[in-house]
Amino acid sequence: MKDGNDFARDGPHDAAEEPAVSFSVPDGPELGLTPEAFHSLGGRMLAALADYKRDLPARRVRPEPPVELTREIFAQALPETGAAPEDLIDWMTENLLPASFGNDHPGFFAWITAPSAPIGALAELMAATVNTPAGGPAPAAVNLEACVTRWLMELSGFPVDGSMGILVSGGSMANLTALAVARHWAAKADGWNIRTEGLQGGRARYTLYATKEAHSCVQKSVEVLGLGTDNLRQVPVDGARRLSPEGLAEVVAADRSAGLRPFCVVASAGTVNTGAVDPLNEIADFCEAENLWLHVDGAYGWIGGIDPAKSPLYEGLARAQSLALDPHKWLAVPIECGCTLVRDRELQRETFSYLAPYLRIDGKASDDVPYWPAEYGVQLTRGFRALKVWATLSQLGRRGVRDLVVRHNALALRLAGAVEAAPDLELTAPVALSIVCFRYRPPGWRGSGEDLDALNRRINDAVNDGGRYYFTPTSLDGRYSLRACIIHYDTGATEVDGLVAAVREAGARLLA
Ligand SMILES: *Cc1c(COP(=O)(O)O)cnc(C)c1O
């Protein structure tokens, strides 16, 4: 490669001969590819991914990469000179694919970690290739985002008129974004400009309400928003781990008489532990009467109501002021993809809009771009997430979404039925959606609760070690519980029945 800085090195030439300083530019590295090379590299990668998918079902669900490999991955030195892109594709294929997380395997029941729809993954490749920043005047991307967030409203039953939706990184960010709007709303009602004053004004303590079953990201949001976890009040739950409306009324009343300023209730539509859906209608009644913001964390369960058998659980969802949901969970949109829906779009804009002079092109949204998403959230440069949502939802259609959810809920009932039919298994929580909590408990068990916990822990480990299934436990009132979350579109009765059989087999073996 020619060093273009010859002029500087040689020093100035005779000024009489050289009329002006010339700014020569060195050659850059080769980062771009010819269209032919791009095609060929892409083909190489897609071929590797197709082989990977073909071999996946026969593989261990969650392969543990050898520790030498993980060390090597960590310790790599930044190469001084660049490598050939084919070698990089091969390195990724050889080293990363065999060590994938496991959530793309139909035998994976852990956490709430979904696989990706292939069409969504391909859409992601296109979005990344074109690299549209979807924060501002990007007509196709912003209109597509407006379209898919409307679809998400329609699918969840959230009112469309006057509402705003933006795609964010995931459920944590979706909850944080919504709670920031709630905080802004409350401060505004109190004649307080929280954007200029911040939380330094020595005002009454703002309090919000959730149960112990609420996701940890709610607590994180409360901390990030400067509200303080002391002001996230815990509301009692009923026997099904749902928020108790009577309990809520008592806690709020006590706080009001103590001079605090209750402003928001965070209800769950599908908790991570057991999939419980809080009684949204009753909570909405209370919030309306008490002038509280109702936020619903539906990161996992927001779409559950599309199952006709579950829709009664979701009555009242449409009365929420905001809803957090994760297309990267039940819809299998590739990670990362969350969404915040807010009933009052102007309020959301007021919370976040800050356009520096250099950002404005024409001073306002245009006919081409209905709004600038950057004005409704934290991010300025944002990925074109809408494309993978659009592709996944378009392949499914409304009926496909419904069939997916109905099937998963039915598989959960099948699993629960098998648990109830087995003399050595029992449910540890009611089944609301596609999560089943259960444990092994041999008939006539005389041991302690601790011993039963330990036995179940060993069963969980033994099943995971077997390599055909992978699942993770939870703790319910301090007791160890096995837990299976059904969220993979390829999971079927074979996997569900196999998991139950594997648990019973491991339990019997460990007891013997
Ligand atoms: C997954 C989940 C979250 C967190 O979402 P992320 O996408 O992991 O950030 C929050 N709440 C509930 C109910 C969830 O299931």
Side-chain angles (χ1 to χ4, degrees), residues 112 170-173 175 215 217 270-272 297-300 326 328-329:
I112 307 182
S172 303
M173 198 60 189
N175 280 293
H215 192 274
C217 77
T271 60
V272 274
D297 178 7
Y300 152 60
D326 260 349
H328 71 201
K329 284 184 177 158

Side-chain angles (χ1 to χ4, degrees), residues 62 101-103 108-114 272-273 300 329 434-435 464 470-473 483-487:
R62 185 168 154 85
F101 194 77
N103 50 316
F108 187 90
F109 294 92
W111 304 292
I112 307 182
T113 311
V272 274
N273 268 340
Y300 152 60
K329 284 184 177 158
S434 75
I435 294 174
N464 289 351
Y470 190 87
F471 66 147
T472 48
R483 175 183 171 284
C485 173
I486 298 155
I487 201 155

